[in-house]
Amino acid sequence: MNNTEVVLFWFKRDLRLTDNRGLYKALSSGFRVLPVFIFDTHILDKLEKDDARITFICEVLGSINRSLRQNGSSLITFHGTPEHFFSEMPLPFPVNAVYASTDYEPYAFERDTKIGNILRSKGMHLHLIPDQMIMEPGTVMKQDGKPYTVFTPFSRRWSSLFRAGMIKEEPSVNLFGNLLQYSPLSAEPKPETLGFMTSGLKVKPADLTSDTIKSYGDNRDIPAADGTTKLGPHLRFGTISIREVFRQTEGLSNIFNSELIWREFFMHILSHFPQASEKSFRPEYDNIEWINNEEHFDRWCRGMTGYPIVDAGMRELKATGYMHNRVRMVTASFLAKHLLCDWRWGEAWFGSKLLDFELSSNNGNWQWAAGTGCDAAPWFRIFNPAIQKQKFDRNEEYIRSWLPDYGTPDYPEPVVNHTKARTRALETYGRVLRKS
């Protein structure tokens, strides 16, 4: 063990000490390991001051730090830009290298490239360790070497490549003796010290019990049922490893397993086609003549469209930071097709409110709903909110739980007529496709 230099483990989207592949590699490096986390102002400066995700991150980091202190070590936190931290390296120890998990989002890729160059100029190396997915981008490809852009063949290929060894645990906790024995007295991060408010919204514990997973296929479309796993935020911030999820749920539900593969599919898409984060995956759809009525968009955001299942979903989102997956599809389709608001408006709104916001899934699902994506609902498929309500909330349990004004004079009239809005959407999309 080299006791004169340390390696840093840079926590990013893998906020856990157990089954952390990057941390395991750092602890196996032959150097003492000092964990760090950077509150990246490139990201924080774009957030609302009451963003509940900052509260959650602070709580998780506090828990990690307490566990590290029990092992004689500590988590170093820094508030600023990663470029500044790694350029200045404000630490009382010589650093040999930096370990971190790979991240494939466009900003993260650009950031990590910059950090790699900064460290290289100092004679150090940035070791990026795959950890977010079971199969990384570039490993699930077509016979001609091109990436899949349709889910079903991607899923088949993914399943054919899957091996049990891919989900084995990386026993990082077994190597805690290799942590640097360093515990400076410093306050654990709080939202207020970062310029934020402590939020009252809470991330719910993930539910991976066998009963929930086995009944997932029956319950996942019923918004009034408590039938989903609440797993989203935990995968987004890495408080549980994707390998652990597969280990706990393997063989219990093909439908749940398929949802995990959907997550990887959208991550692969964004990695191979980063332009999709800002543009329609199908370029011709960027010629759609969006109406972008700001009053209509505001009513959608506030849950005041006059369509109960849409409004219930939007109010659930505002009140809790969650929205049921079935309702996400309905609300997204309504904005893009009934109101003809640019899907990017809705994507950004969800991105600012969802506790489980993950760029690849958010972008992929919004483009699916708008018909502009790689593997999209057909452009002429337009959800009828009344039929969705009848099929999935027949007794209005979900609607009435979020709309106390429903059925009273205070509840708004529909912002648009369904039949007229549907016809308008078909005509608008049709004009674009006839020209392409």
Side-chain angles (χ1 to χ4, degrees):
M1 180 65 65
N2 188 316
N3 290 309
T4 61
E5 294 180 300
V6 302
V7 299
L8 303 184
F9 178 69
W10 177 17
F11 280 104
K12 294 188 291 185
R13 289 182 49 182
D14 50 359
L15 303 183
R16 65 186 183 280
L17 294 172
T18 59
D19 198 12
N20 186 318
R21 182 171 284 167
L23 179 59
Y24 179 77
K25 295 293 185 183
L27 292 167
S28 304
S29 67
F31 294 85
R32 297 295 180 187
V33 177
L34 180 61
V36 301
F37 180 85
I38 300 169
F39 285 98
D40 185 349
T41 51
H42 291 313
I43 297 173
L44 267 59
D45 289 349
K46 298 176 182 178
L47 303 179
E48 298 293 332
K49 296 306 179 185
D50 62 347
D51 196 303
R53 292 166 292 192
I54 300 301
T55 300
F56 178 62
I57 290 171
C58 287
E59 291 172 350
V60 172
L61 293 179
S63 177
I64 288 174
N65 194 40
R66 289 188 291 275
S67 294
L68 290 171
R69 285 184 179 279
Q70 289 175 2
N71 288 274
S73 188
S74 178
L75 175 68
I76 304 301
T77 60
F78 179 80
H79 183 206
T81 68
E83 295 90 336
H84 178 72
F85 177 83
F86 288 108
S87 294
E88 300 298 323
M89 212 75 84
L91 299 167
F93 310 98
V95 176
N96 178 274
V98 177
Y99 286 75
S101 297
T102 310
D103 195 336
Y104 299 96
E105 292 184 359
Y107 165 71
F109 181 82
E110 179 183 351
R111 174 202 61 205
D112 292 351
T113 300
K114 289 180 181 178
I115 300 310
N117 291 335
I118 290 171
L119 293 176
R120 196 172 299 111
S121 71
K122 293 174 172 289
M124 305 176 204
H125 187 70
L126 174 62
H127 300 274
L128 293 174
I129 312 301
D131 187 73
Q132 288 183 8
M133 292 172 262
I134 302 302
M135 297 185 207
E136 303 299 302
T139 63
V140 185
M141 308 294 280
K142 295 191 288 187
Q143 291 296 325
D144 60 5
K146 295 180 180 179
Y148 288 98
T149 57
V150 177
F151 174 72
T152 300
F154 173 89
S155 178
R156 291 196 191 104
R157 180 63 175 157
W158 190 101
S159 298
S160 73
L161 293 172
F162 177 79
R163 300 291 183 271
M166 294 177 177
I167 60 173
K168 71 179 182 67
E169 181 180 0
E170 299 285 1
S172 42
V173 294
N174 293 350
L175 298 177
F176 277 5
N178 296 339
L179 290 165
L180 180 68
Q181 299 298 291
Y182 178 64
S183 298
L185 292 176
S186 58
E188 293 180 357
K190 301 292 182 184
E192 289 76 12
T193 63
L194 303 167
F196 289 81
M197 297 181 290
T198 296
S199 174
L201 302 188
K202 295 296 182 183
V203 170
K204 301 174 183 178
D207 180 3
L208 295 177
T209 58
S210 59
D211 286 346
T212 295
I213 302 303
K214 287 178 180 178
S215 61
Y216 180 82
D218 295 327
N219 293 333
R220 66 172 183 151
D221 279 325
I222 310 301
D226 188 19
T228 57
T229 63
K230 315 298 187 300
L231 185 61
H234 299 280
L235 284 178
R236 168 64 180 87
F237 294 105
T239 57
I240 187 172
S241 82
I242 185 62
R243 296 175 295 281
E244 176 65 18
V245 175
F246 271 91
R247 290 197 299 271
Q248 286 197 35
T249 63
E250 193 174 17
L252 298 179
S253 169
N254 290 334
I255 293 177
F256 179 77
N257 183 260
S258 180
E259 290 300 306
L260 296 177
I261 301 174
W262 265 108
R263 173 181 177 268
E264 299 213 354
F265 173 66
F266 283 139
M267 284 184 158
H268 283 232
I269 289 294
L270 193 61
S271 174
H272 291 300
F273 306 97
Q275 69 274 14
S277 66
E278 298 178 351
K279 298 180 179 180
S280 297
F281 185 88
R282 302 181 186 186
E284 63 270 24
Y285 285 86
D286 278 330
N287 297 318
I288 291 175
E289 299 169 359
W290 304 109
I291 294 176
N292 289 339
N293 183 307
E294 292 187 6
E295 179 189 351
H296 289 178
F297 178 68
D298 179 66
R299 287 183 61 172
W300 178 83
C301 291
R302 292 187 295 118
M304 296 292 286
T305 67
Y307 284 85
I309 197 165
V310 173
D311 294 340
M314 298 307 295
R315 295 194 203 178
E316 178 189 19
L317 175 60
K318 183 178 180 181
T320 68
Y322 290 87
M323 187 192 295
H324 189 276
N325 286 342
R326 165 59 58 174
V327 185
R328 292 188 197 197
M329 289 191 289
V330 177
T331 57
S333 174
F334 187 86
L335 182 74
K337 293 180 176 175
H338 280 73
L339 301 184
L340 281 178
C341 279
D342 193 325
W343 59 268
R344 281 160 285 223
W345 289 26
E347 181 198 26
W349 183 257
F350 273 25
S352 70
K353 301 298 179 184
L354 283 169
L355 291 172
D356 66 0
F357 167 67
E358 189 165 58
L359 178 60
S360 54
S361 294
N362 194 48
N363 178 274
N365 282 308
W366 266 96
Q367 294 221 44
W368 182 91
T372 65
C374 59
D375 191 358
W379 63 272
F380 49 81
R381 180 181 181 183
I382 300 173
F383 285 115
N384 183 326
I387 292 177
Q388 292 291 307
K389 168 180 168 293
Q390 182 66 17
K391 289 176 66 175
F392 302 111
D393 193 34
R394 181 186 298 272
N395 297 323
E396 300 182 339
E397 294 176 58
Y398 175 72
I399 286 170
R400 292 189 179 278
S401 68
W402 293 109
L403 303 181
D405 52 341
Y406 178 60
T408 75
D410 294 329
Y411 188 68
E413 293 294 319
V415 63
V416 290
N417 174 274
H418 167 71
T419 302
K420 291 180 179 179
R422 182 178 185 279
T423 299
R424 182 178 66 181
L426 292 173
E427 291 174 349
T428 300
Y429 274 71
R431 282 196 299 271
V432 170
L433 297 181
R434 282 193 295 270
K435 293 177 182 177
S436 62

